[in-house]
Amino acid sequence: MHLPDFKEARTRDKRKYNRIDFKIDDSIEKKYLGKKYYVKTYGCQMNEHDTENICALLEALGFSLVYDYNDADLVLLNTCSIRENAHNKAFGMLGRLKHLKSQKKDLLIGLCGCMAQEAKVVDEILNDYKFVNFVFGTHNIYQLPEIIDKAVDTNKQQIEVYSREGDLVEGLPVVRANNYKAYVNIIYGCDKFCTYCIVPYTRGRERSRKKEDILKEVRELVDEGYREVTLLGQNVNAYGKDLYDDYNMGDLLEDVANLGIPRIRFMTSHPWDFTDKMIEVIAKYPNIMPSVHLPVQSGSNRILKLMGRRYTRESYMDLFHKIKDTIPNVAISTDIIVGFPGENEKDFLETLSLVEECKFDNAFTFIFSQREGTPACKLEDNTSLEEKEKRLYKLNEVVNKYFLENNKCLEGKIVKVLVEGVSDKKNMYFGYSDTNKLINFTSDKDIYCGDIVDVEITSAKTWSLDGRIK
Ligand code: 5AD
Ligand code: SF4
């Protein structure tokens, strides 16, 4: 049994990590043939992609996927700790599973993901959720087959959570959720330690995958007919810093672009590491989508400092304009937190004025949520929840105004759309534009999922656009 510990999770040292190749133990391969599993995923794309590996590991054990947890022999929750509501949702689901288990004694229940990295959560599971059969951390995914097998064999709760990242595992099997768009991890962890954020504790230090392994994976995706790849990391811009002296995210983007996959995206970027080389490469290669997610968090320098964001409003704006001026038709999206401890009306108005200046194409807006173990959790917070909700409401009004305004500029224009599906209505399709906008469109021609087609935009809404095929 390995229990999580935030003190250990916080340590960053120069330890070398080993690269190991995953291989499932022959003795347990397909051992659970005929059994069914259900996975519920909370949180970010990183978690969604982990679930794609988890599904493949379960299928290697012989489990097959079901979409209703009532039909499953094994239910796994892949959890998120980023805000309290994600945490509460997972515990709510555990409550429902307790009820199910009272009727189905052999049901296996597991919890993994970021919440598994929190000592308090694991304590609670050890003491009050004894019906949970196993817990494993974000660094222990590759051990899942053995953990399940041990939980079944011993009928004892298994907790396997490393707080310090272990080896970097290559060759994990994967069952991709989409046939045209694929996630590829390029860097794990985060070393930025923004004061509000739990991720550096739950995902460990920054560890880049070797460029050869990434390029091989993308090459295979091209051969399999994938049309879009999203390079994933908590902070992709730090790619390569821990591995190479002279190879970074700009170089990787260029090498991936040269493999010829029609669409490349990447997420998430911290403004601190966004280099000129990256901007040049994105502008140069038409298959790197002109869509940049650039979290700003606040427009107030005082709050940015308290958040430990390492940039000022002015330096963010310089970068913003450099990206806008260099990459044709680029769309920039962002994340914003309101109600950070100590944020006053003046700070909030500065956030609003930054939004007025940037006119973001998309924005994810949040109320600050206290995360135990993070520095911001100890800061004095005098603002009422009611006031924070008012600020969020106001902020959303302003960001929404610009989503619509930006979308309106596309009316009458032709955009390229990767077709993802057919709507219920006849001849209606949907997909995403190069700037990642949802497009619903009609077509009287036969088109197929995975096609990239020209669509003329006929009408703009706040969160989507309507069009017809050209
Ligand atoms: N409270 C509210 N929002 C948070 N985020 C990260 N940590 C917190 C927190 N404690 C937001 C940030 C980040 C996004 C993924 O989630 O805006 O960019
Ligand atoms: Fe949530 Fe962050 Fe973990 Fe993703 S990495 S699941 S956003 S806490």
Side-chain angles (χ1 to χ4, degrees), residues 82-83 196 297 335 337 366-369 371:
I82 199 113
R83 283 171 292 276
Y196 51 80
Q297 314 298 0
D335 293 340
I337 298 176
F366 312 102
I367 291 181
F368 168 75
S369 172
R371 303 286 70 211

Side-chain angles (χ1 to χ4, degrees), residues 410-417 419 426-430 438-445 447 453-460 465-470:
L410 291 173
E411 282 180 350
K413 300 241 165 71
I414 312 274
V415 298
K416 290 222 174 292
V417 176
V419 184
K426 199 167 171 275
N427 295 341
M428 281 296 291
Y429 297 82
F430 68 90
L438 173 62
I439 316 283
N440 295 300
F441 64 100
T442 54
S443 169
D444 36 23
K445 296 182 210 163
I447 53 170
V453 296
D454 284 335
V455 174
E456 182 179 357
I457 300 302
T458 49
S459 133
L465 297 116
D466 292 339
R468 62 174 160 257
I469 197 142
K470 237 356 222 179

Side-chain angles (χ1 to χ4, degrees), residues 56-124:
L57 290 170
L58 293 171
E59 292 179 20
L61 281 175
F63 286 92
S64 55
L65 177 68
V66 289
Y67 295 95
D68 180 347
Y69 64 85
N70 291 296
D71 300 333
D73 302 293
L74 183 156
V75 177
L76 182 59
L77 306 186
N78 189 5
T79 61
C80 170
S81 327
I82 199 113
R83 283 171 292 276
E84 199 180 352
N85 58 353
H87 181 280
N88 292 346
K89 276 189 207 157
F91 272 108
M93 184 68 183
L94 278 182
R96 289 195 286 284
L97 292 175
K98 183 177 185 182
H99 177 69
L100 184 62
K101 191 147 180 174
S102 66
Q103 300 155 358
K104 208 172 166 182
K105 296 276 178 261
D106 291 336
L107 179 67
L108 284 169
I109 298 174
L111 183 140
C112 63
C114 290
M115 279 169 65
Q117 299 294 135
E118 294 182 72
K120 201 168 163 215
V121 170
V122 172
D123 270 354
E124 224 171 316

